[in-house]
Amino acid sequence: MCGIAGIISAKANKEQLQQMLKLQHHRGPDHTGNYFDPGYCALGHNRLSIIDLSAKANQPFKDNSGRYHLTFNGEIYNYKELKQELKTHYNFKTGSDTEVLLAAFIVWGKSCLTKLNGMFAFGIWDNREKKLFAARDRFGVKPFFYSRKNQDFYFSSEIKAIRSLLKLDQPNEQVWANYFSYGSYGMPSETFYDEIFQLPGGHYLEYQAGKLKISKWYDFEKNLSNHSEVLSFEEAKEAYTKILSDSISLRFRADVPIGFNISGGVDSSLLLALINRLHENKNIRAYTFYTGDENYDELPWVQKMIETTQNPLTKVKIEPGDVVEKAQFLSDIQDEPYAGLPTLAYAALFETAQKDAVKVLLDGQGMDEQWAGYDYYQNPKNAKSIQGTGEKSPFRPKVLRNEFRDLAKKPVYPAPFDKDLKNLQYRDLFYTKIPRALRFNDRISMAYSTELREPFLDYRMVEFAFSQPKSYKIHKGIQKYLIREILKELVPKDLSYAPKRPLQTPQREWLGNQLKAFTEENFEKLRYSRASHWFDFEEMHREWKNYKTGDNQSSFHIWQWVNAGLLMGN
């Protein structure tokens, strides 16, 4: 993983580009590179070396003719197979996936995207046509932000690079109002800032002579027709296990040490079991966090899993002081609201891995959305909220002033399927759960110059799982049924049929007790921030008082205000 940046402008210069790259240096401290097409374009790159560590693979990377220049963030996992297809058409000079990506574009054009199995955001400058082509992977694992100013176009891996250069600090008030009212983190093209946008996952853009064209290249619904054949449960289990094993093997392609993050759930158990079955080296290090609160900690489950494989396990303890110390740093890294203590705790794993010189970590994101793992999938007609699990709403729109609250519009998500369950899975995959988790996790892994890979988000797995009958996902009330049946053959049954436990932390308790002063300090920051006119602080004080005296079924609203103080209070 890396950082990318670009300026398409007659006035593009080295100082502007360096300003952008400096703010993203943590994403790629191994090499900083640039390319200039004077009067037209500047491309920059922060490299985190993972595959082909030689200087020959540094970026921006040019093809043999010197016509095309690539800045690329991510990994093309099937680069070896693609290289075999391409080698009669292109003379390769490196062992990198970067060169394979550029060759694929030169030989196949934009249709190369459908051949890529990976996570990616990249820009290719054609210095003959004076044209930019840029694309983002199917699910948006890797970020791509952009902004336009007059006839100029700017793009980067992180919002801060564009914000700083163009002085774009104006909040997108509707996105913020939706966040406070409905828990939405924005639609796929939106950010929390006016005039800064995202290229949605599964889309590409072309920019030439001041004209921008954005197109969708990944048609998820159409691709599901490839799985129209009805398989028996055993056939589906066998087919999915084969794809799953291949996905993990592909994601072990690296020239640096690899580890993985685990919790005590079914998905982590499966990842752990398959890693050890596919790789005889039992010394692959696992990382997990705990807080010392047995009401939340999954450490006993993690240790029970590790007993079956004997992988070295690093346990990272999170304490209230860590929140005080790291919350502002992570807010600055994220640029937008994040998920509170769970994100802080997860970040500590990447910080620890960095100290251990482990440059790549795998995790188990994506199984719940594929195999209907969340509680509300049991009754999809009633699954209206996208945040919280309790009966009481996790939102407190009463603390918003009327004119600001009136900006909020409840998000409406596409429902392309005739089954409620599939539409809910689709929502979580493309609009809510997965996009926000990927954003949180990209920023915290990159904050510590560590690459995060998501083997369970291989598009082949997602498409296959999505297409299977509901009875393979939820069987007699048991969720993720097919996954549990695969796991049952690899680990003790009490692990394969362990109940779903949301990844939780004692955020509810800490915010009102050990972190009370920290919480109130950020409320005060909010009171004197540029967003102060959004809030009725008397109502906020009442809600806070209620929270401290027991109305704390959810802490999401409290964290929202803390988070806003962290982001807006500076």
Side-chain angles (χ1 to χ4, degrees):
M1 279 202 256
C2 306
I4 62 172
I7 304 168
I8 314 303
S9 166
K11 304 182 292 289
N13 62 61
K14 188 172 185 178
E15 289 71 28
Q16 290 178 320
L17 188 66
Q18 289 305 118
Q19 183 180 337
M20 295 175 82
L21 293 172
K22 188 176 179 183
L23 289 167
Q24 297 184 157
H25 182 257
H26 51 276
R27 296 187 70 91
D30 296 332
H31 177 261
T32 300
N34 51 57
Y35 160 76
F36 295 95
D37 186 354
Y40 294 97
C41 164
L43 293 183
H45 191 262
N46 307 101
R47 185 180 182 196
L48 183 68
S49 306
I50 303 293
I51 292 173
D52 185 348
L53 310 184
S54 73
K56 287 189 297 182
N58 286 343
Q59 298 183 48
F61 190 92
K62 68 178 178 181
D63 75 308
N64 295 329
S65 72
R67 174 179 172 180
Y68 298 100
H69 291 76
L70 165 68
T71 183
F72 159 50
N73 169 29
E75 301 291 349
I76 309 302
Y77 300 121
N78 63 333
Y79 76 100
K80 290 183 178 179
E81 290 75 11
L82 293 176
K83 192 172 186 175
Q84 285 300 311
E85 283 187 60
L86 289 161
K87 66 181 183 181
T88 56
H89 305 282
Y90 185 92
N91 182 23
F92 287 94
K93 301 289 200 317
T94 75
S96 69
D97 60 330
T98 301
E99 188 174 22
V100 172
L101 171 58
L102 187 53
F105 176 75
I106 291 167
V107 173
W108 295 317
K110 62 189 74 162
S111 67
C112 74
L113 296 169
T114 60
K115 290 177 172 281
L116 305 177
N117 186 343
M119 53 178 184
F120 52 84
F122 65 84
I124 296 174
W125 179 251
D126 178 342
N127 64 20
R128 184 190 298 171
E129 298 292 328
K130 307 303 181 191
K131 179 178 179 180
L132 176 74
F133 177 85
R136 196 171 176 202
D137 65 69
R138 293 168 178 81
F139 303 118
V141 180
K142 295 287 92 200
F144 188 102
F145 297 103
Y146 70 90
S147 188
R148 299 176 74 184
K149 189 175 182 182
N150 303 322
Q151 291 293 298
D152 301 336
F153 184 84
Y154 303 81
F155 69 89
S156 62
S157 293
E158 297 193 10
I159 288 171
K160 58 179 67 63
I162 295 173
R163 267 183 70 202
S164 169
L165 186 65
L166 300 183
K167 307 291 187 280
L168 292 176
D169 270 335
Q170 188 62 32
N172 184 329
E173 292 198 336
Q174 187 180 341
V175 172
W176 276 101
N178 281 356
Y179 170 65
F180 290 121
S181 301
Y182 302 110
S184 165
Y185 287 80
M187 297 300 267
S189 63
E190 293 178 321
T191 74
F192 280 77
Y193 296 89
D194 272 348
E195 298 182 57
I196 301 179
F197 306 94
Q198 296 188 70
L199 178 64
H203 285 66
Y204 67 80
L205 66 78
E206 296 165 292
Y207 190 81
Q208 186 177 33
K211 294 195 173 98
L212 174 66
K213 181 185 176 189
I214 295 176
S215 308
K216 183 176 179 179
W217 69 266
Y218 180 48
D219 191 335
F220 178 72
E221 298 94 304
K222 185 180 174 186
N223 279 26
L224 296 185
S225 62
N226 298 332
H227 303 283
S228 55
E229 182 187 356
V230 179
L231 302 176
S232 71
F233 184 79
E234 287 303 318
E235 288 171 334
K237 203 169 87 170
E238 183 181 342
Y240 188 75
T241 303
K242 188 176 177 185
I243 304 171
L244 175 55
S245 299
D246 186 56
S247 173
I248 292 172
S249 291
L250 285 176
R251 281 154 184 82
F252 262 81
R253 288 179 170 175
D255 297 324
V256 295
I258 294 180
F260 59 101
N261 297 332
I262 58 170
S263 62
V266 168
D267 308 342
S268 284
S269 299
L270 184 60
L271 182 62
L272 174 66
L274 287 173
I275 282 174
N276 282 283
R277 193 174 79 170
L278 296 166
H279 296 272
E280 292 178 6
N281 175 11
K282 302 287 184 186
N283 291 321
I284 301 165
R285 183 165 291 282
Y287 293 86
T288 194
F289 70 78
Y290 70 106
T291 63
D293 187 329
E294 60 186 26
N295 293 317
Y296 296 103
D297 282 347
E298 298 193 321
L299 200 52
W301 290 91
V302 170
Q303 288 173 322
K304 193 168 190 179
M305 286 157 45
I306 288 289
E307 282 171 16
T308 67
T309 63
Q310 297 299 307
N311 289 76
L313 174 67
T314 298
K315 297 168 282 189
V316 182
K317 189 173 186 185
I318 308 300
E319 302 189 68
D322 298 321
V323 179
V324 177
E325 184 186 335
K326 291 286 182 5
Q328 186 65 60
F329 167 71
L330 289 179
S331 181
D332 296 344
I333 282 289
Q334 291 281 339
D335 289 313
E336 300 178 288
Y338 65 98
L341 190 49
T343 305
L344 280 149
Y346 203 45
L349 303 186
F350 296 99
E351 183 179 15
T352 306
Q354 184 188 40
K355 290 172 184 170
D356 292 345
V358 174
K359 241 178 170 180
V360 175
L361 289 174
L362 276 63
D363 84 356
Q365 190 75 49
M367 279 301 192
D368 287 309
E369 292 76 13
Q370 288 177 52
W371 293 103
Y374 296 118
D375 290 345
Y376 55 72
Y377 287 139
Q378 294 270 18
N379 192 359
K381 281 190 188 300
N382 295 337
K384 292 175 183 160
S385 178
I386 58 171
Q387 181 70 47
T389 54
E391 290 179 15
K392 186 171 181 179
S393 170
F395 317 119
R396 299 294 185 273
K398 280 193 305 181
V399 309
L400 306 178
R401 293 194 182 276
N402 290 341
E403 58 271 28
F404 179 65
R405 187 170 65 222
D406 289 347
L407 295 173
K409 290 186 173 59
K410 187 166 187 179
V412 177
Y413 303 106
F417 302 101
D418 57 6
K419 298 275 196 308
D420 289 330
L421 175 61
K422 280 193 173 178
N423 284 324
L424 206 50
Q425 290 178 277
Y426 183 81
R427 179 200 77 176
D428 288 352
L429 185 61
F430 289 101
Y431 292 90
T432 57
K433 295 274 192 185
I434 289 295
R436 74 188 184 206
L438 292 175
R439 193 256 286 174
F440 301 158
N441 294 348
D442 171 81
R443 302 308 179 278
I444 58 176
S445 61
M446 289 282 87
Y448 297 106
S449 309
T450 307
E451 175 166 295
L452 176 63
R453 297 181 174 183
E454 312 277 10
F456 296 163
L457 279 177
D458 187 303
Y459 73 96
R460 299 168 300 167
M461 289 171 58
V462 178
E463 291 171 8
F464 183 90
F466 207 92
S467 305
Q468 299 314 302
K470 181 180 177 181
S471 61
Y472 294 5
K473 300 170 186 176
I474 305 173
H475 177 72
K476 296 181 180 176
I478 296 169
Q479 295 175 269
K480 292 198 285 198
Y481 178 62
L482 184 139
I483 290 299
R484 293 178 189 277
E485 287 294 294
I486 292 173
L487 186 58
K488 189 173 75 174
E489 296 168 13
L490 301 169
V491 302
K493 187 174 179 182
D494 59 341
L495 287 175
S496 61
Y497 273 82
K500 168 74 179 167
R501 298 179 303 283
L503 183 60
Q504 291 183 330
T505 62
Q507 177 171 291
R508 276 190 322 160
E509 293 82 355
W510 284 10
L511 287 178
N513 294 290
Q514 297 98 318
L515 294 174
K516 191 173 93 167
F518 163 81
T519 303
E520 291 174 348
E521 178 189 320
N522 281 289
F523 288 175
E524 200 63 13
K525 275 190 193 173
L526 196 55
R527 183 189 287 274
Y528 294 102
S529 74
R530 57 203 165 103
S532 61
H533 60 288
W534 294 349
F535 300 98
D536 176 341
F537 285 97
E538 284 186 22
E539 186 61 39
M540 187 182 286
H541 180 72
R542 271 193 290 276
E543 286 288 354
W544 174 231
K545 190 176 176 183
N546 292 342
Y547 184 86
K548 289 185 291 184
T549 54
D551 181 11
N552 63 354
Q553 185 183 358
S554 167
S555 61
F556 183 65
H557 59 295
I558 302 296
W559 176 255
Q560 284 184 312
W561 307 332
V562 168
N563 210 171
L566 291 165
L567 276 165
M568 297 291 199
N570 291 337

